[in-house]
Amino acid sequence: MEARFLLQCILWISLLVACNKAAEVKEGLPLIELEKTTQINSPYKIERITPLETDTANLIGDHLTVKFSENSFFIYDESARDAVHQFDLDGKYLGKFVEIGEGPGMLRGINDFIPTPEGMDILSVKGDQAEIIRLDKEGQQLETISIDYMGTSFAPLPGDQYVASGSYNLPFVKNRLAVINGKGETINEWLPNTHEILPFGEKNFFPLGEQVFFHEIYNPNTYMVQADSLLLRYQFDFGKYSIPERFFEMDWMAGFEMLNQQGFATVSQYWENEDKAFFEVAVQVNGELNKHQVILEKASGEVSKRIISATALSAFSSPVGLMDDLLVFIAQAPDYLRLNADQLPENSPKIQEGDNPVLLFVKF
């Protein structure tokens, strides 16, 4: 009986290894073929859960930007657009780090933000004015730097520099990627805008130490950014969901109608650590959105994916980053409550349906 069980285990492991497909290589770099990537049906393994404290001052919605520091989570509600909320690593609410408004110490607007050892850097664009506002640990303004690039997302680079993306925002942005020095001057630019397309205010960057990784809508490639160079990192082949070249020549309304009918895919999230890379690829066909969450093992080159339907109300539909080598999702309370008991670790927190979201930390 034991020998038979052992044989079954060996066969199962062999089958699992055989089913994981390695990424192809094109011009020396990994090429991930989305339609050929092995689909995994097993759920993520949740390692820990952090509920975000709920009170009347911090009720947040479901369109959120989440960023981490060594001792805090910072959350900006992209729908309310009223403040950056701060929580400690146990989920305790520490207050509004900075607010939007006309009062003393408030900001006119927030397009993106970066937690820093000194406090926080804010990218703010209003009309034809763009600036980076540096705050201390109490949220008080230290310095404002006017910049000559209309970016909507940014990240720090070594040497008191930043990289920013302005998307496809012609005529305001001639190149989609720019390096800005500490004086606010653009010193390098890449990815020229050659056609006027509806721009998207996406969050494009993931810093890891002194490295910064970049992705953008309509582009099947991902990159690593340095102050003096843009390095191609990974390439996707979306197969039948690839965006045809003629899209970039079309009127934007006609172009989107064509894409919606044929279906299209684009990289919507991209993060890396030393061992793995995570990509979320949004695939939309006739108004139906599915999220392909692709994981690449760097040592073996093996790739796999899970597919999450945007209409399934899944607790795993909103990944927000990597922390402590774990993949982090933010889950709305009703979606968290739908998880099966065997998906949860022991002593999982009890929350109510009307509570703030929870952070799920999973192995990937």
Side-chain angles (χ1 to χ4, degrees), residues 7-276:
L7 178 60
Q8 287 176 332
C9 288
I10 293 172
L11 290 173
W12 182 83
I13 293 170
S14 300
L15 180 61
L16 181 65
V17 171
C19 286
N20 287 338
K21 185 181 185 298
E24 300 293 329
V25 176
K26 179 182 178 183
E27 298 177 358
L29 292 170
L31 172 67
I32 302 171
E33 298 174 288
L34 186 67
E35 294 182 87
K36 296 181 180 179
T37 298
T38 304
Q39 182 175 347
I40 298 174
N41 294 316
S42 59
Y44 290 105
K45 177 176 173 52
I46 301 174
E47 293 294 308
R48 68 177 188 267
I49 299 167
T50 301
L52 300 174
E53 182 182 356
T54 306
D55 68 28
T56 56
N58 74 349
L59 292 173
I60 52 181
D62 57 5
H63 185 201
L64 306 174
T65 295
V66 182
K67 299 197 178 183
F68 318 132
S69 70
E70 290 185 354
N71 52 23
S72 293
F73 303 115
F74 296 93
I75 299 182
Y76 181 58
D77 188 326
E78 297 281 355
S79 297
R81 306 187 73 83
D82 58 348
V84 175
H85 299 275
Q86 183 179 10
F87 299 80
D88 71 13
L89 297 185
D90 294 321
K92 180 181 178 181
Y93 186 54
L94 301 179
K96 296 175 181 177
F97 187 85
V98 64
E99 295 184 73
I100 295 175
E102 301 295 332
M106 294 184 173
L107 304 182
R108 294 187 305 160
I110 296 174
N111 291 81
D112 200 2
F113 64 94
I114 305 167
T116 68
E118 296 74 28
M120 183 174 290
D121 291 351
I122 303 285
L123 175 64
S124 179
V125 180
K126 283 293 183 182
D128 60 353
Q129 295 183 338
E131 54 191 19
I132 294 172
I133 304 161
R134 292 175 170 171
L135 309 177
D136 65 15
K137 292 182 179 179
E138 305 303 318
Q140 301 301 308
Q141 297 184 28
L142 296 172
E143 181 183 10
T144 298
I145 304 169
S146 295
I147 61 177
D148 59 10
Y149 181 81
M150 302 293 287
T152 54
S153 179
F154 76 144
L157 287 172
D160 197 32
Q161 299 180 118
Y162 300 91
V163 58
S165 173
S167 190
Y168 296 82
N169 195 15
L170 273 177
F172 303 103
V173 177
K174 293 182 179 179
N175 295 282
R176 305 194 301 276
L177 203 59
V179 174
I180 300 164
N181 65 18
K183 299 178 182 179
E185 302 165 334
T186 300
I187 58 174
N188 263 322
E189 293 185 84
W190 301 284
L191 303 177
N193 270 334
T194 54
H195 306 287
E196 189 167 352
I197 308 171
L198 185 68
F200 279 78
E202 55 185 335
K203 301 298 184 286
N204 306 84
F205 300 102
F206 176 63
L208 179 65
E210 294 190 348
Q211 297 177 317
V212 175
F213 302 109
F214 170 76
H215 72 280
E216 62 174 352
I217 194 169
Y218 310 132
N219 191 339
N221 302 320
T222 67
Y223 304 85
M224 183 169 69
V225 185
Q226 298 176 342
D228 58 356
S229 59
L230 178 66
L231 306 176
L232 185 62
R233 191 77 174 168
Y234 297 101
Q235 308 162 90
F236 271 91
D237 179 352
F238 293 139
K240 64 184 178 183
Y241 300 120
S242 298
I243 297 176
E245 283 299 318
R246 68 180 184 277
F247 165 76
F248 298 97
E249 306 284 350
M250 299 173 68
D251 169 79
W252 70 267
M253 290 188 66
F256 279 105
E257 184 178 349
M258 176 196 71
L259 290 183
N260 191 48
Q261 290 176 353
Q262 75 150 47
F264 70 100
T266 190
V267 179
S268 56
Q269 302 284 5
Y270 161 49
W271 305 299
E272 286 193 44
N273 60 24
E274 290 185 1
D275 301 318
K276 299 180 182 182

